[in-house]
Amino acid sequence: MKIGVIPNEPPTLGLRTKFLLSLVLTTTSLSCATLLVVRHTAKKHLQQEIATDAGNSALTLQLLLHQREALLSRKASLLATLASVTLDDDPTLQNSADDPLAAEGNDLVILADGSNKITALHTNNPSFKIADAQQLVLHSAGRTGADWCYAGGSLYQVVVQQVENHSAETGDKRETVIVGREIGYSVVHDLGRVSAGEVAFSYQGNIAASTLTPLNEYDLGAKMRAAPQLGDVQIGGEEFYGLSLPLMKGASPPARIVVLKSYKAAAAFLSEINRLLIGLGGLALLVAMWLAFIISETFTRPLAKLDKGVQALEKGDFDFPLDARGDDEVARVTRAFDHMRGTLQKNELQKRKLEEELRQSQKMDALGRLAGGVAHDFNNLLTVIKGHSDLMIERLQPADPLLGSSQQIRSAADRAASLTRQMLAFSRRQALEPTVFDMNVLVTDMCKLLKRLIHEDVEFSFRADESLGKVKADTGQIEQVVLNLAVNACDAMPQGGKLTIETKNVFVDEEYARTRPTVPCGNYAVLSVTDTGHGMDAETQARMFEPFFTTKENGKGTGLGLATVYGVVKQSEGFIWVESAPGRGSRFEVYLPQARQTTAEPVRGEKTKTTLTRASETVLLAEDEDAVRELACEFLSAAGYRVFAAENGEKALKIAETLSQPIHLLVTDVVMPRMRGTELARKLKSLQPDMKVIYMSGYLGEEGSEEFLKDSEYLQKPFSRDSLLHRAGVVLNEGSSMAGAVPELHIA
């Protein structure tokens, strides 16, 4: 059993798993975010420290270069003084230029006269030529102070001094003294050691000297030309922070000093920090997983248990164990679900029972329709067989050998008609003649018959409720119900037992109706038949009202007994309830609604023995079956009636319209093609209001007798000649004395 149909869906994560994952992911995300912030802060701090260190180193180098500039200025002033003293003595000037320079270790000394002609040159660089000195003098003409120049493949820090010479022979004469220091390999590396980094000097965007390798110098020069201010740069595959400062403000062409601080140490420090942070992150993750597991065990495990209970309920398992301990929200929901599960289980059992009863009812209705259809055609055949057998028996002499065969034919037709009546009772299509009666009187009258039918080893008793309410039903059918239930009970006790028939008043309220789901609320007179026989199992009870179903041996039962009981009870607007179990006997309860009418109604069409005279009325007969029509026409004609026969309603209507004489009686089949017998009767009644009507049918169909005209008669097929003529005489002589009306007909 399943509560509902659940479509196939892809598997999803459980709430507990989602909670664990969400908590772990949240903790991991927060930890990673925190660690990334710490790492970013540390990296930024290191970058700021490196930038500050580069700035400090650049200032230190600038200070050292400024000190070198001061030394060069003093040297230039000394040479200028010597030059002014020995200006007219060129050799003496040359000597004065060479000796001091050599003593001081200067890399470059240039003396030029007023016409900018080189008069003395001292250099330690063989590549420094006179032309380079001449270009430097021209560049420095009229200028005094520090400067930078690039010549002979080297960068020089120089100081220029102008010498004023006032002589009587030569007049005012201005000469130039230039003293310089080469920025070479040793100087750059000394500065690199001072700055604890890489140092480079550039001139016009080209690297003049550095502590770098030639390839790295080329790479640095390219980056300097692209962005002189540098910043974070990558040189030779290594990360540096570069700070580029001009050596002189406003100097042209520009000369710059570059300080490079490597990130290698910082990267190593960051790697160490990363390893530490990863360790802390892993520890935080483990702690988070442990906390998540503890929390899930405390909060989500009961939810997971409840979820499994819901899934088990979807599959029809009502016994899955639930954990409802505690007084928290989950425990309360679990207890509520357990209560709801119990209610659903009870409802499901009741639903299955009602569905089984509905299927049984639908099955009975389908079989009833089949039985009614078979009975309709079968009764037409039986009418012909029974009618002609009666005619043969009437016309044959007692000594005729065919008389016995004719009587056997009539007897077989009677048994077939009885079987058909059972089928119609089962299908609830049999014509009823309900009366209000006391069921105690009916059962009491049947007790003599029942005692003859019941085995001697069966103890029979009848318990009557003295205040039993009256019911309205067909007494003949109720007798058949009592008889079938009693016979069925005796057959269930082959070794003897007790058979009890009981009547009582029952008021079915809502509480009582829960024990009898098929019985609605109301006042009922209940007839119960109880036996102590072998009982029935569930499978037998599910099929006991099916027609032709029997547990008896072949040839010992038709299987229509209980089916007939079911049909009669339902047709009488009643209900039947059965309680039985193997080895514990059976109890059949028939619930019939109590009637409001307190006086008994006479049975319509009751047969009375009267002396009848020969008839002479006009009868219109409408019947679609040729054999039945011919037989009925013969019966009526033999009794003296003037008969006009038609094979359907339309032709019967045409005959009535063409007749000049009144029609005293219409005998019509109910079910006919083109026009039903009820419709034909209404139309003819409007033409001839005094006309009487007799309806014939093998079964009433769905409409029952609701379409019949008032004061009409109904004749159930198969009918005999006596029953047809008796009904005709009753209808035509209704309201007057029956004595001397028509002659009594005797059938041998």
Side-chain angles (χ1 to χ4, degrees), residues 183-375:
I183 304 299
Y185 176 81
S186 59
V187 175
V188 173
H189 280 77
D190 289 341
L191 295 176
R193 284 190 293 273
V194 171
S195 67
E198 303 291 341
V199 178
F201 290 84
S202 68
Y203 189 81
Q204 290 184 333
N206 296 316
I207 302 301
S210 72
T211 59
L212 300 172
T213 62
L215 289 177
N216 290 347
E217 283 186 0
Y218 178 80
D219 195 5
L220 177 60
K223 288 182 171 51
M224 287 284 294
R225 287 188 293 272
Q229 300 301 323
L230 294 180
D232 292 332
V233 294
Q234 186 174 14
I235 300 174
E238 186 177 350
E239 294 288 337
F240 290 91
Y241 178 79
L243 182 62
S244 172
L245 298 175
L247 292 173
M248 287 188 65
K249 293 183 179 180
S252 181
R256 305 180 74 87
I257 184 172
V258 179
V259 177
L260 298 175
K261 291 291 184 176
S262 176
Y263 281 116
K264 183 180 294 184
F269 179 72
L270 287 176
S271 298
E272 185 66 24
I273 290 180
N274 287 339
R275 286 192 291 271
L276 178 61
L277 294 178
I278 290 174
L280 291 175
L283 179 62
L285 181 61
L286 291 176
V287 173
M289 293 177 64
W290 179 76
L291 289 176
F293 179 77
I294 296 300
I295 295 174
S296 66
E297 284 291 314
T298 305
F299 297 102
T300 62
R301 180 172 287 276
L303 285 176
K305 195 78 171 179
L306 181 59
D307 177 65
K308 290 182 179 179
V310 173
Q311 294 178 3
L313 182 61
E314 290 179 348
K315 299 176 182 178
D317 183 6
F318 290 90
D319 300 323
F320 185 84
L322 297 173
D323 186 6
R325 293 173 298 177
D327 195 33
D328 54 13
E329 292 83 351
V330 177
R332 290 196 292 270
V333 170
T334 302
R335 286 192 289 270
F337 172 76
D338 191 24
H339 179 72
M340 180 189 69
R341 185 174 65 173
T343 303
L344 287 176
Q345 186 176 17
K346 295 178 182 178
N347 293 342
E348 184 64 25
L349 293 176
Q350 186 175 5
K351 175 185 174 183
R352 293 175 60 184
K353 188 173 183 179
L354 292 176
E355 287 177 349
E356 184 64 28
E357 292 174 355
L358 176 61
R359 285 193 293 269
Q360 180 71 14
S361 176
Q362 291 173 341
K363 186 189 301 182
M364 294 297 100
D365 185 69
L367 291 174
R369 292 174 182 271
L370 175 63
V374 172

